[in-house]
Amino acid sequence: MSVDTTCISTIRTLAADVVAKSNSGHPGAPMGMAPAAHVLFSQFLTANPSNSKWFNRDRFVLSNGHACVLQYTMLHLLGYKISMDDLKLFRQLDSLTPGHPEANHTDGIEVTTGPLGQGFANGVGLAIASNHLAAVYNKPDFELLNNFTYVFCGDGCLMEGVSAEAASLAGHLQLGNLIVVYDDNHISIDGDTAIAFTEDVGARFLSYGWQVLHVENGDSDLDGINKALNEARAEKSKPTIIRLRTTIGFGSKEQGTHGVHGSPLKADDIVALKTKFGFPPDEKFYVPAEVYKFYGEIAQKGASAEAKWNSLLAAYGQKYPTEHAELTRRIAGELPQNWEKALPVYKPTDSAQASRKLSEIALTSLAAVLPDLLGGSADLTSSNLTKVKGSVDFQPPATKLGTYAGTYIRYGVREHGMGAIANGLAAYGGIIPFVGTFLNFVSYAAGAVRLSALSRVQVIWVGTHDSIGLGEVSCLSTTFGVTNELHSGPTHQPVETNAHFRAIPNLAFWRPADGNETSAAYSVALKSKHTPSILALSRQNLPNLEGSTIERASRGGYVLIEEEKEDLTIVSCGSEVTIAVEAAKKLKEQGIKTRVVSLPCWLVFDQQDAQYRLSVLRSGAPILSLEALSTLGWERYSHEQYGLTGWGASGPYQKVYEKLGITGANIAVVGKKVVDFYKQKGGEVVSPLVRAL
Amino acid sequence: MSVDTTCISTIRTLAADVVAKSNSGHPGAPMGMAPAAHVLFSQFLTANPSNSKWFNRDRFVLSNGHACVLQYTMLHLLGYKISMDDLKLFRQLDSLTPGHPEANHTDGIEVTTGPLGQGFANGVGLAIASNHLAAVYNKPDFELLNNFTYVFCGDGCLMEGVSAEAASLAGHLQLGNLIVVYDDNHISIDGDTAIAFTEDVGARFLSYGWQVLHVENGDSDLDGINKALNEARAEKSKPTIIRLRTTIGFGSKEQGTHGVHGSPLKADDIVALKTKFGFPPDEKFYVPAEVYKFYGEIAQKGASAEAKWNSLLAAYGQKYPTEHAELTRRIAGELPQNWEKALPVYKPTDSAQASRKLSEIALTSLAAVLPDLLGGSADLTSSNLTKVKGSVDFQPPATKLGTYAGTYIRYGVREHGMGAIANGLAAYGGIIPFVGTFLNFVSYAAGAVRLSALSRVQVIWVGTHDSIGLGEVSCLSTTFGVTNELHSGPTHQPVETNAHFRAIPNLAFWRPADGNETSAAYSVALKSKHTPSILALSRQNLPNLEGSTIERASRGGYVLIEEEKEDLTIVSCGSEVTIAVEAAKKLKEQGIKTRVVSLPCWLVFDQQDAQYRLSVLRSGAPILSLEALSTLGWERYSHEQYGLTGWGASGPYQKVYEKLGITGANIAVVGKKVVDFYKQKGGEVVSPLVRAL
């Protein structure tokens, strides 16, 4: 038996044993893709198992994350920090080997996968990141960055729209460093793919501008796999997909059926499998010594590669000290000194501006000191105002539309793909991605957004047109000098979006009320290396508020208008804070003392100490919340809520606000009603923050 | 000037005038697609403007909904209930002509579009519905249903993953009655499509199995358009996409640029446009008499077609009275008499079952009396348990895998496409679609789900694996007799999903606790003709509760365990109700009288009268909520909340519940803490439902 065959048999039997031990998991794809994994990891993938974070490593993504036993097994055999005991704890509570691969949790896992299609799109992001940083930092004789991104995926990943979006963009961007191995095993959960997936995948990828290769016998044709991977690497101006025909659950009695997709093999099947492979039939978790030795040598090669690279980097530092300092800072994930000075600061006398415009001003200022920023929009650039003036597009040089050193990505109308690509950009390191669309259409990318938060990567969403105030009057785009894309009506107006994103753990949802709050949102978002942020920004102009500062807003919530012995507090955020201030003024004229609290980010506010929070939302008078979106969840911070109870409406924004009662005049009436109600009710009014739990 | 040319010039100038009047909107695509719209509506589309609901009409979908001025103009000229005054109120508050087309709002609008890609996928649903009902009800000599679905779309729609998913499935399903006209105008909002969308669209659709046609001069080659549409109709076993090369904003000085995409034409440009077309340059909203006459004759033809069809239907009734009765009932959107008797009823002594299994039992029983049900799953059939035993797949007969009369759709791993297709199925009429995936992955379809609710169509989502209780132990699928797909870990565990969907207006999010509650969810969902529902169902077994009935649960919330002068009420839903009952029992043993309220559906509960609601969640003692998901929003119904504060975890479900404290024992401890806290606090404990607003 050749060592290659022994290795592959080891991977297959380990996969069967690990899934059987946990009595849960997917043995089929790992057994089917074992040969491809072996060839890739032993002959192509350059990485250092003893330092999984080496920056110029090749990236590997298992987009069909349910096959993670394959990845865990490879990482274990290569010497990453996954022991045999960890493998035996597969899918157990708090283990390093959860049911799907989790980045920032298990050594060697680049991105969190499992939700289908995400890993594929993450891979596009990784490949973009590599091309970008190479274009920025490589110099003649210093090819510091030249790594490949390899993605394994199954038919499920290719059925998902998110991968279709990412694949089309990857073709356009001519990402020659992206190589996808498609496990064409003809089996999905419902049975043969003939029941739902009969498209010509190869032809589809050709239409996207990819190189398409094919290996007919993925079960044992190691030379064929090697040849395909070599061809893929040789094609410098196209991403490659290799259609690898495999047999799911290869070696099992049930191979080639969906019976081996998501269930452990039966005990007698495993015995038969091992016998067939010439392995001790009753020994579990068997790894021949030569297999550890073989992969140990591969790992050694990786360590040498890193050592060589470190020397190259040091020499680079001699010749290009500025670039070296910047690159190593970015690799370390640190922000440059004094970057915060670039945050715009506003006075109440400064002119009113839309917060999307304030965002543009902040980004323009920040981009000058933060080359880490790599922005883009899903074809709404002139609406989102995400393009920094003078910035170059990230485009293949051949198109003459930009360069790979460009810092602005034209994502096309592909929100979900964009979100998942941004997760890949962030996971690569050295890059802080920001992406733009209408707030309402961040929902299209919900699958990617929750994975940003779960996998703790820093992505900043610029979600403009953040409420019913979409307006109907044209405005001039500063970027293009042409009139702007405008929308209106409930199809484009978010309602549930605030509740949706506020309920996601580790996601900072910001609705800044003015210039300083917008700067605060950027400040906190940029400092949060492990928390994604969504900045919900207005289309309509917002005055700069008396009392707002970057520092105060950076606490997530603060008292904007203070009153002794108040009758009422109005808590609000975003464009409605101005309306709250107006209402408070009207109420004061009636002798009703009204405080106003601005609460731009719940996640950040909740992280403040209890004393501070209780000083902001204090007991003694009723608290009324105001937001031109769903009221759901505001009960946490207020006694009474005012907001949308249904959909928005199509019309000029002032009229829409009037129709829905979100005006200073009406909120004053509502506020009076609240005050009267609590007076009549009697008793102490206790802050909603005072809780037993 | 030929009448065709006059008509087209009328459409173009009207579009320019309407957008200019509202000072908002998109003139470019309407002006570019005017010839295609004219040829389609005058030479092909069979419909009756005086009865827009005639069942065998051809369906028209404007997937690029921002171009709705085109649709409103056509509907006006043809005599639908859109007057010239309505056109002049374009994008104004409460008008019949909102910023994007809204179904169930404007006469002749089939589906709500604007969010890109949705209309395309809705069209696939409409075409499926037509094929399905034709296969079920057509008889020799009675071709009752033979209508086409025509979809207009732009490049934005084709960049979106949702349309890619739907297109792949449409090709697989060989939908010969689906014809898409792709406005290939090379312009997106960010500029020329060359910056982001360079794939070969034709080749892509060929790879999906579509017929691809091309009209090079969409601006004036009416014969070419006619020929392509005829070819499309002739191809019976493939959907067709016609790539129509047009000039955006044709006739404007800025034609062919993104300057005409989303902004009104300038006044002098409109004058020049009219002059060029030989129209009175200063007359606004000008419609030559011959144009009204021309379209009036088309409308007459449509009325005759319906009259003829009505005769055919009457004759069909003579020959096939049973089918006739069933079809006309379905067209009327009525449920059959006594259908509710098919709802399963449970006793506490009945064995514990997973609510996904209870759902399967309900569907199996209901399908026997409700042929309206057309189900499916995104490749999780054996997990969602959505396939009724013995049901036939909806498949092209040529595949020999099923027939068009089949009632089960294999959607593939395409959640967003599935959701948007289901919206189309529901919009067609005569069909009640239900679709399955893991609850967590309904989020992938968020864009379609909110449009179900906004456009008031009846879609039922079967969202299984609805919390951290995903389990790790294999179970046998009753449907296939093979072991089941299982997942675990936070990538597949919903957390924010409950808050997300509860915040969407007109969406019923159900988490039934047992058999009777599952039946109640189906009962209310089936009766709600204009409200979509999501049924969040468990993977783990749930005992049948003492005190639950279909009637009680149908009110959305009810008292499950009553106590006089209680110390505590626990309000819960879904799989946690059993845990609440257990905690209540433990608390009672300690002398703490605890009521338990089951609240399976907030939307429905909120619709009950105030007195009832206050009797369920009454004042006098603290209320503690319990749900193994985000607590966000539960503050509306409780004083204290227990649930997830972060992500789930990978592991056996009992251990995950224990780790997170969601056990009867821990909730009893928590409940005691709550009771003590409120005793110490003193004063009356007022129901959270008692509000000023």
Side-chain angles (χ1 to χ4, degrees):
Chain A
M1 210 183 319
S2 77
V3 67
D4 289 321
T5 305
T6 307
C7 287
I8 292 164
S9 296
T10 303
I11 300 166
R12 282 173 166 150
T13 53
L14 264 182
D17 280 342
V18 166
V19 174
K21 171 98 168 62
S22 83
N23 199 17
S24 170
H26 302 73
M31 294 169 73
M33 293 193 89
H38 171 72
V39 172
L40 175 65
F41 280 83
S42 64
Q43 298 171 26
F44 293 93
L45 195 112
T46 304
N48 180 6
S50 58
N51 174 18
S52 66
K53 294 294 177 193
W54 169 37
F55 201 68
N56 194 37
R57 69 191 179 276
D58 288 339
R59 267 69 172 176
F60 174 75
V61 174
L62 187 77
S63 189
N64 48 344
H66 55 275
C68 55
V69 167
L70 177 65
Q71 192 169 13
Y72 297 149
T73 300
M74 295 312 299
L75 293 174
H76 166 70
L77 294 173
L78 283 159
Y80 287 82
K81 294 179 189 67
I82 298 189
S83 67
M84 183 58 89
D85 283 342
D86 292 324
L87 284 184
K88 290 177 184 170
L89 287 170
F90 177 55
R91 291 194 158 213
Q92 299 309 301
L93 212 54
D94 300 325
S95 79
L96 288 177
T97 49
H100 294 85
E102 294 178 30
N104 286 317
H105 177 82
T106 306
D107 190 40
I109 303 292
E110 304 284 356
V111 290
T112 300
T113 58
L116 294 175
Q118 299 290 336
F120 183 104
N122 296 161
V124 174
L126 292 167
I128 290 173
S130 180
N131 273 326
H132 174 66
L133 291 173
V136 173
Y137 293 106
N138 284 1
K139 301 281 179 190
D141 296 328
F142 290 96
E143 200 178 82
L144 274 180
L145 295 160
N146 58 2
N147 52 284
F148 283 87
T149 296
Y150 297 97
V151 177
F152 279 10
C153 76
D155 44 69
C157 288
L158 298 186
M159 286 190 245
E160 292 284 7
V162 60
S163 65
E165 292 175 13
S168 177
L169 186 60
H172 167 77
L173 293 175
Q174 304 175 14
L175 303 175
N177 60 344
L178 175 64
I179 298 168
V180 174
V181 179
Y182 159 40
D183 182 18
D184 184 20
N185 62 26
H186 287 215
I187 294 296
S188 72
I189 292 172
D190 273 14
D192 193 288
T193 49
I195 65 171
F197 189 52
T198 49
E199 63 174 51
D200 181 340
V201 172
R204 172 153 73 98
F205 277 80
L206 285 174
S207 82
Y208 294 144
W210 287 51
Q211 173 176 234
V212 177
L213 303 176
H214 177 60
V215 177
E216 181 51 35
N217 174 7
D219 294 331
S220 58
D221 181 7
L222 307 190
D223 288 345
I225 295 169
N226 173 290
K227 187 165 160 285
L229 286 168
N230 267 318
E231 269 189 71
R233 289 164 57 99
E235 171 58 71
K236 295 297 182 197
S237 60
K238 288 179 180 178
T240 295
I241 186 166
I242 301 169
R243 189 160 65 80
L244 185 75
R245 189 75 180 86
T246 71
T247 303
I248 192 168
F250 181 88
S252 156
K253 291 174 187 171
E254 291 197 70
Q255 70 174 31
T257 75
H258 64 169
V260 291
H261 170 90
S263 306
L265 267 55
K266 295 192 183 65
D268 64 331
D269 195 3
I270 295 180
V271 167
L273 178 81
K274 290 177 181 170
T275 308
K276 199 186 299 175
F277 290 167
F279 274 36
D282 294 319
E283 197 165 337
K284 284 177 183 165
F285 303 103
Y286 176 63
V287 180
E290 66 182 298
V291 170
Y292 277 129
K293 181 165 174 288
F294 177 86
Y295 286 118
E297 284 160 13
I298 302 295
Q300 266 312 316
K301 272 197 219 165
S304 307
E306 180 180 0
K308 204 173 145 194
W309 187 82
N310 286 334
S311 305
L312 185 71
L313 181 65
Y316 180 87
Q318 294 295 317
K319 193 153 179 188
Y320 304 103
T322 313
E323 288 86 346
H324 178 270
E326 188 175 90
L327 175 61
T328 50
R329 174 189 65 74
R330 290 175 66 170
I331 292 176
E334 285 161 9
L335 295 170
Q337 285 210 316
N338 298 323
W339 69 274
E340 284 177 284
K341 288 189 179 158
L343 290 166
V345 180
Y346 297 85
K347 297 185 300 292
T349 48
D350 289 332
S351 63
Q353 307 225 53
S355 52
R356 62 173 179 159
K357 179 70 189 165
L358 296 163
S359 162
E360 184 188 40
I361 294 166
L363 284 171
T364 302
S365 178
L366 287 162
V369 298
L370 263 180
D372 322 45
L373 289 168
L374 183 57
S377 163
D379 195 42
L380 285 172
T381 296
S382 53
S383 294
N384 303 144
L385 306 183
T386 30
K387 191 168 191 301
V388 170
K389 206 170 177 175
S391 63
V392 172
D393 273 15
F394 177 88
Q395 294 277 6
T399 62
K400 307 224 188 325
L401 297 168
T403 72
Y404 282 148
T407 53
Y408 196 73
I409 301 177
R410 303 287 182 171
Y411 283 103
V413 190
R414 303 178 178 109
E415 298 83 6
H416 200 176
M418 175 171 74
I421 288 170
N423 287 345
L425 293 173
Y428 190 88
I431 286 169
I432 303 176
F434 66 93
V435 292
T437 184
F438 289 148
L439 179 62
N440 190 44
F441 295 119
V442 184
S443 302
Y444 266 44
V449 170
R450 86 187 302 275
L451 280 178
S452 308
L454 174 60
S455 52
R456 305 171 62 235
V457 295
Q458 183 178 32
V459 172
I460 300 174
W461 281 84
V462 177
T464 69
H465 299 58
D466 73 339
S467 75
I468 48 174
L470 303 193
E472 104 300 9
V473 183
S474 288
C475 72
L476 286 177
S477 156
T478 55
T479 315
F480 291 105
V482 297
T483 48
N484 236 356
E485 165 72 8
L486 290 170
H487 284 291
S488 58
T491 53
H492 287 61
Q493 289 163 341
V495 174
E496 76 286 8
T497 317
N498 57 346
H500 175 190
F501 293 128
R502 283 172 181 149
I504 295 182
N506 190 41
L507 175 65
F509 179 82
W510 287 88
R511 278 192 80 219
D514 72 352
N516 290 332
E517 290 198 6
T518 304
S519 289
Y522 273 107
S523 174
V524 178
L526 288 168
K527 283 187 277 195
S528 305
K529 298 307 296 176
H530 291 292
T531 300
S533 303
I534 295 176
L535 276 55
L537 303 168
S538 77
R539 197 194 160 277
Q540 71 270 38
N541 284 342
L542 307 176
N544 284 292
L545 299 163
E546 184 82 48
S548 85
T549 66
I550 295 178
E551 196 192 353
R552 303 177 84 196
S554 294
R555 301 195 77 169
Y558 63 99
V559 182
L560 187 72
I561 297 181
E562 189 54 284
E563 285 281 355
E564 294 291 306
K565 294 192 181 164
E566 75 277 11
D567 301 296
L568 178 72
T569 294
I570 304 179
V571 57
S572 186
C573 66
S575 46
E576 289 76 66
V577 175
T578 302
I579 295 168
V581 170
E582 205 184 315
K585 207 175 142 191
K586 285 183 194 294
L587 285 164
K588 195 165 186 176
E589 288 164 9
Q590 301 169 45
I592 298 173
K593 291 196 287 183
T594 305
R595 295 166 80 232
V596 175
V597 167
S598 182
L599 205 69
C601 182
W602 295 8
L603 182 84
V604 172
F605 181 69
D606 288 348
Q607 289 161 353
Q608 307 303 311
D609 62 86
Q611 196 186 347
Y612 176 75
R613 284 185 286 120
L614 264 172
S615 75
V616 174
L617 295 171
R618 67 188 177 202
S619 295
I623 302 173
L624 166 67
S625 78
L626 172 65
E627 185 172 29
L629 289 164
S630 167
T631 59
L632 197 87
W634 274 107
E635 294 88 351
R636 190 171 283 183
Y637 305 101
S638 61
H639 302 93
E640 300 284 334
Q641 298 77 38
Y642 199 89
L644 298 194
T645 52
W647 303 100
S650 180
Y653 88 83
Q654 297 90 339
K655 292 203 176 166
V656 175
Y657 269 84
E658 257 171 51
K659 178 188 165 90
L660 300 168
I662 303 184
T663 61
N666 186 56
I667 297 305
V669 172
V670 170
K672 171 97 172 45
K673 198 169 157 188
V674 168
V675 170
D676 291 347
F677 177 85
Y678 282 83
K679 273 199 182 134
Q680 199 171 0
K681 195 176 166 189
E684 196 202 349
V685 183
V686 179
S687 165
L689 300 185
V690 176
R691 297 285 177 113
L693 304 181
Chain B
M1 210 182 320
S2 77
V3 66
D4 288 321
T5 306
T6 307
C7 286
I8 292 165
S9 296
T10 304
I11 300 166
R12 283 173 164 150
T13 52
L14 263 183
D17 281 341
V18 166
V19 174
K21 171 98 165 62
S22 82
N23 199 18
S24 169
H26 302 73
M31 293 168 73
M33 293 194 88
H38 171 71
V39 171
L40 175 64
F41 279 84
S42 64
Q43 296 170 27
F44 292 93
L45 195 113
T46 304
N48 181 8
S50 57
N51 174 18
S52 66
K53 294 294 178 195
W54 168 38
F55 201 68
N56 194 37
R57 69 191 179 277
D58 288 339
R59 267 69 173 177
F60 174 75
V61 174
L62 187 77
S63 189
N64 47 344
H66 56 276
C68 56
V69 167
L70 177 66
Q71 192 170 13
Y72 297 149
T73 301
M74 295 311 301
L75 293 174
H76 166 70
L77 294 174
L78 283 158
Y80 287 82
K81 294 178 189 66
I82 297 187
S83 67
M84 183 57 89
D85 284 341
D86 293 324
L87 283 185
K88 291 177 183 171
L89 288 171
F90 177 55
R91 291 193 158 213
Q92 300 308 304
L93 211 54
D94 300 325
S95 78
L96 288 177
T97 48
H100 294 84
E102 295 177 29
N104 286 317
H105 177 83
T106 307
D107 190 40
I109 303 292
E110 305 283 357
V111 289
T112 300
T113 58
L116 294 174
Q118 298 291 336
F120 183 104
N122 297 160
V124 174
L126 292 167
I128 290 173
S130 180
N131 272 326
H132 175 66
L133 291 172
V136 173
Y137 293 106
N138 283 2
K139 300 282 178 189
D141 297 327
F142 290 96
E143 201 178 79
L144 274 181
L145 295 160
N146 57 4
N147 52 284
F148 283 86
T149 296
Y150 297 97
V151 177
F152 279 11
C153 76
D155 44 67
C157 288
L158 298 186
M159 285 190 246
E160 292 284 8
V162 60
S163 65
E165 292 175 13
S168 177
L169 187 60
H172 168 77
L173 292 175
Q174 304 175 14
L175 303 175
N177 59 343
L178 174 64
I179 297 167
V180 174
V181 179
Y182 160 39
D183 182 20
D184 184 20
N185 61 27
H186 287 214
I187 294 295
S188 72
I189 292 172
D190 271 16
D192 193 288
T193 49
I195 65 171
F197 188 53
T198 49
E199 63 173 52
D200 181 339
V201 172
R204 173 154 71 99
F205 277 80
L206 285 174
S207 82
Y208 293 143
W210 287 51
Q211 173 175 233
V212 177
L213 304 175
H214 177 61
V215 177
E216 183 50 35
N217 174 7
D219 294 331
S220 59
D221 181 8
L222 306 191
D223 287 346
I225 295 169
N226 173 291
K227 187 164 159 286
L229 286 168
N230 267 318
E231 268 189 72
R233 289 164 58 99
E235 171 58 71
K236 295 296 181 198
S237 59
K238 288 178 180 178
T240 294
I241 186 166
I242 301 169
R243 188 161 64 82
L244 185 75
R245 188 74 180 84
T246 70
T247 303
I248 191 168
F250 181 88
S252 156
K253 291 173 186 171
E254 291 198 69
Q255 71 174 31
T257 75
H258 64 169
V260 291
H261 170 88
S263 306
L265 268 55
K266 295 192 184 65
D268 65 331
D269 195 3
I270 295 180
V271 167
L273 177 82
K274 289 177 182 169
T275 308
K276 199 186 303 178
F277 290 166
F279 273 36
D282 293 319
E283 196 163 336
K284 285 181 183 162
F285 304 101
Y286 176 64
V287 180
E290 68 183 297
V291 170
Y292 277 130
K293 181 165 174 286
F294 178 85
Y295 286 118
E297 283 160 13
I298 302 295
Q300 265 313 316
K301 271 197 217 167
S304 306
E306 180 180 358
K308 204 172 146 195
W309 186 82
N310 286 334
S311 305
L312 186 71
L313 181 65
Y316 180 87
Q318 293 295 317
K319 193 152 178 191
Y320 304 102
T322 312
E323 289 86 346
H324 179 270
E326 189 175 87
L327 175 62
T328 50
R329 174 189 66 72
R330 290 175 68 170
I331 292 175
E334 286 161 9
L335 296 170
Q337 285 213 317
N338 298 323
W339 69 275
E340 283 175 286
K341 289 189 178 157
L343 291 165
V345 179
Y346 297 85
K347 297 184 300 294
T349 47
D350 289 332
S351 62
Q353 308 226 52
S355 52
R356 62 173 179 160
K357 179 71 191 165
L358 296 163
S359 162
E360 185 189 40
I361 294 166
L363 284 170
T364 302
S365 177
L366 287 163
V369 298
L370 263 180
D372 322 45
L373 290 168
L374 184 57
S377 163
D379 195 40
L380 285 172
T381 297
S382 53
S383 294
N384 303 144
L385 306 183
T386 31
K387 190 168 191 299
V388 170
K389 206 170 177 175
S391 63
V392 173
D393 273 14
F394 177 87
Q395 294 277 7
T399 62
K400 308 231 192 309
L401 297 167
T403 72
Y404 282 149
T407 53
Y408 196 73
I409 300 177
R410 303 286 182 172
Y411 282 102
V413 190
R414 303 179 178 108
E415 298 83 4
H416 200 176
M418 175 171 75
I421 289 170
N423 287 346
L425 292 173
Y428 190 89
I431 286 170
I432 303 175
F434 66 93
V435 291
T437 184
F438 289 146
L439 179 61
N440 190 44
F441 296 119
V442 184
S443 303
Y444 266 44
V449 170
R450 83 186 306 274
L451 280 177
S452 308
L454 174 60
S455 53
R456 304 171 63 234
V457 296
Q458 183 179 32
V459 172
I460 300 174
W461 282 83
V462 178
T464 68
H465 299 58
D466 74 337
S467 77
I468 49 172
L470 304 192
E472 103 302 8
V473 183
S474 288
C475 73
L476 287 177
S477 157
T478 55
T479 314
F480 291 106
V482 295
T483 48
N484 237 355
E485 165 72 7
L486 290 171
H487 285 288
S488 59
T491 53
H492 288 60
Q493 289 162 341
V495 173
E496 76 286 7
T497 316
N498 57 345
H500 176 190
F501 293 129
R502 283 172 181 149
I504 295 182
N506 191 40
L507 174 65
F509 179 81
W510 287 87
R511 277 192 81 220
D514 72 351
N516 289 333
E517 289 199 5
T518 304
S519 290
Y522 273 107
S523 174
V524 178
L526 288 168
K527 283 188 274 194
S528 305
K529 297 307 296 176
H530 290 292
T531 300
S533 304
I534 296 176
L535 275 55
L537 303 168
S538 77
R539 196 195 160 276
Q540 70 270 40
N541 284 341
L542 308 176
N544 284 292
L545 299 163
E546 185 81 48
S548 86
T549 67
I550 295 177
E551 196 192 353
R552 302 177 83 196
S554 294
R555 300 193 78 169
Y558 64 99
V559 182
L560 187 71
I561 297 182
E562 189 54 285
E563 285 281 355
E564 294 291 308
K565 295 193 181 161
E566 74 278 10
D567 301 297
L568 179 72
T569 292
I570 304 178
V571 57
S572 186
C573 67
S575 45
E576 289 75 67
V577 175
T578 301
I579 296 168
V581 169
E582 204 183 314
K585 208 175 142 192
K586 285 182 194 295
L587 285 163
K588 194 163 189 181
E589 287 163 11
Q590 300 169 46
I592 298 172
K593 291 195 285 183
T594 305
R595 296 165 79 230
V596 175
V597 167
S598 181
L599 205 69
C601 182
W602 296 7
L603 182 85
V604 171
F605 181 69
D606 288 348
Q607 289 162 353
Q608 306 303 310
D609 62 86
Q611 194 186 350
Y612 175 75
R613 284 184 287 120
L614 264 171
S615 75
V616 174
L617 295 171
R618 68 188 175 201
S619 296
I623 302 172
L624 166 67
S625 77
L626 173 65
E627 186 173 33
L629 289 163
S630 167
T631 58
L632 197 87
W634 274 107
E635 293 89 350
R636 190 170 284 183
Y637 305 102
S638 61
H639 302 92
E640 301 285 333
Q641 297 78 38
Y642 198 90
L644 298 194
T645 52
W647 303 100
S650 179
Y653 88 83
Q654 297 92 339
K655 291 202 176 167
V656 175
Y657 269 86
E658 257 170 49
K659 178 187 164 93
L660 300 168
I662 302 183
T663 61
N666 185 58
I667 296 306
V669 172
V670 170
K672 172 99 173 39
K673 198 170 158 188
V674 168
V675 170
D676 291 347
F677 177 86
Y678 281 84
K679 272 197 182 134
Q680 201 172 358
K681 195 176 166 190
E684 196 202 349
V685 183
V686 179
S687 165
L689 300 185
V690 176
R691 297 285 179 112
L693 304 180

